[in-house]
């Protein structure tokens, strides 16, 4: 996969890569993860189709350009994951936000040659769960999709370091004194260790739904738009 650099999996500031493990079984039948590819490059669309065709848990149900028809195709297919390249779109925030606003159960993974950390942060702020560089290993896209479906964030090394640095600066500017309940602090500690919602729920003997509720509260308290911003602000304030 050629692009703007090289990359691999990363563990950084609570955003941890891990092997795909979402494939389920219902009466012996594999539950397929439905994927729509939204990319202006025909070669990229063909490449994604070929790649996901080698992963038994993924099914590419559509691969289309990032144009006015893309939203309608996503609406018709109702995929589990949309993988979208917004590098050439000035309205990238609007494109991502439109997917997330209309179909909140659909995870959005951005796979682009994003120019800088601000572009990656804008994608996360608009509702993307993961940002992956086209320059990296395609396996990172599969990992990002799996983590996005679990409600987690993922960044690969091409963007992680710059994004975390920028977010730390933003967090320092907006941080106020924040008071957390005992349970909220436990969840924060789990996030700081890079735990997924499921892992945190298991360690605290809670349901995964309850952990998601606390993560939502933490977003409000930290004025954070995503889990990564919670982790960065919490690391500076509470350590970890």
């Amino acid at each position: 996969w050629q692009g703007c650099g090289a990359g691999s999996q990363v563990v950084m500031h609570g955003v941890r890569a891990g092997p795909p493990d979402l494939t389920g079984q219902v009466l012996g039948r594999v539950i397929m993860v439905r994927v729509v590819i939204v990319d202006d490059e025909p070669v990229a669309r063909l490449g994604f189709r070929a790649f996901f065709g080698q992963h038994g848990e993924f099914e590419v149900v559509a691969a289309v350009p990032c144009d006015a028809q893309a939203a309608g195709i996503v609406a018709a297919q109702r995929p589990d994951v949309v993988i979208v390249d917004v590098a050439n779109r000035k309205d990238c925030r609007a494109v991502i936000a439109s997917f997330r606003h209309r179909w909140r159960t659909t995870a959005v993974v951005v796979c682009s040659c994003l120019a800088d950390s601000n572009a990656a942060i804008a994608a996360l702020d608009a509702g993307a769960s993961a940002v992956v560089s086209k320059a990296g290993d395609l396996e990172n896209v599969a990992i990002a999709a799996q983590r996005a479906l679990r409600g987690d964030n993922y960044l690969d090394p091409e963007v992680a370091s710059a994004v975390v640095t920028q977010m730390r600066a933003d967090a320092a500017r907006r941080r106020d004194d924040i008071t957390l309940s005992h349970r909220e602090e436990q969840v924060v500690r789990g996030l700081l260790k890079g735990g997924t919602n499921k892992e945190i729920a298991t360690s605290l003997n809670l349901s995964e739904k309850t952990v998601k509720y606390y993560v939502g509260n933490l977003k409000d308290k930290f004025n954070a738009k995503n889990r990564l911003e919670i982790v960065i602000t919490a690391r500076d304030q509470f350590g970890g």
Side-chain angles (χ1 to χ4, degrees):
W1 184 265
Q2 298 298 319
C4 35
S8 58
Q9 299 178 24
V10 69
V11 178
M12 180 172 288
H13 295 280
V15 184
R16 188 186 60 186
D21 62 2
L22 260 177
T23 303
Q25 299 283 337
V26 176
L27 299 178
R29 180 172 60 86
V30 175
I31 301 172
M32 303 296 288
V33 176
R34 292 166 54 82
V35 179
V36 168
I37 308 298
V38 180
D39 195 305
D40 286 333
E41 299 177 9
V43 172
R45 297 198 296 272
L46 287 172
F48 279 124
R49 276 193 179 277
F51 170 73
F52 283 117
Q54 299 173 7
H55 284 259
E57 71 269 32
F58 292 101
E59 177 188 8
V60 177
V61 295
V64 298
C66 191
D67 57 22
Q69 298 180 16
I73 291 171
V74 172
Q77 295 294 338
R78 300 299 296 268
D80 302 300
V81 181
V82 173
I83 296 173
V84 57
D85 182 355
V86 292
N88 298 320
R89 297 293 299 260
K90 293 181 179 179
D91 59 343
C92 67
R93 290 176 65 108
V95 171
I96 297 167
S98 70
F99 292 147
R100 292 292 295 133
H101 177 70
R102 297 180 189 179
W103 309 285
R104 293 192 178 278
T105 59
T106 297
V108 177
V109 173
V110 172
C111 184
S112 295
C113 288
L114 295 176
D116 53 38
S117 60
N118 288 328
I121 292 171
L124 292 169
D125 286 349
S129 297
V131 178
V132 184
S133 172
K134 271 190 172 180
D137 190 335
L138 272 176
E139 287 293 338
N140 289 345
V141 181
I143 293 168
Q146 294 286 2
R147 291 190 64 84
L149 284 170
R150 292 199 293 264
D152 299 318
N153 292 115
Y154 178 90
L155 298 174
D156 78 9
E158 288 294 317
V159 294
S161 180
V163 166
V164 169
T165 298
Q166 182 63 47
M167 281 187 162
R168 286 177 67 92
D170 293 343
R173 284 194 293 271
R174 69 170 178 265
R175 185 169 61 246
D176 296 316
D177 291 334
I178 299 172
T179 302
L180 301 182
S181 69
H182 175 64
R183 187 65 82 185
E184 287 171 340
E185 187 166 343
Q186 287 180 317
V187 173
V188 164
R189 298 294 182 189
L191 292 172
L192 287 170
K193 293 176 182 177
T196 64
N197 287 345
K198 184 176 181 179
E199 290 168 342
I200 295 170
T202 299
S203 69
L204 298 179
N205 196 28
L206 299 172
S207 70
E208 192 170 350
K209 183 176 181 180
T210 299
V211 171
K212 288 181 179 180
Y213 168 78
Y214 281 116
V215 170
N217 283 351
L218 291 167
K219 285 181 182 179
D220 291 338
K221 287 194 173 184
F222 286 105
N223 191 27
K225 297 182 179 67
N226 51 64
R227 291 165 61 97
L228 184 56
E229 289 188 355
I230 295 173
V231 169
I232 291 170
T233 306
R235 183 177 295 276
D236 289 343
Q237 182 150 344
F238 298 101

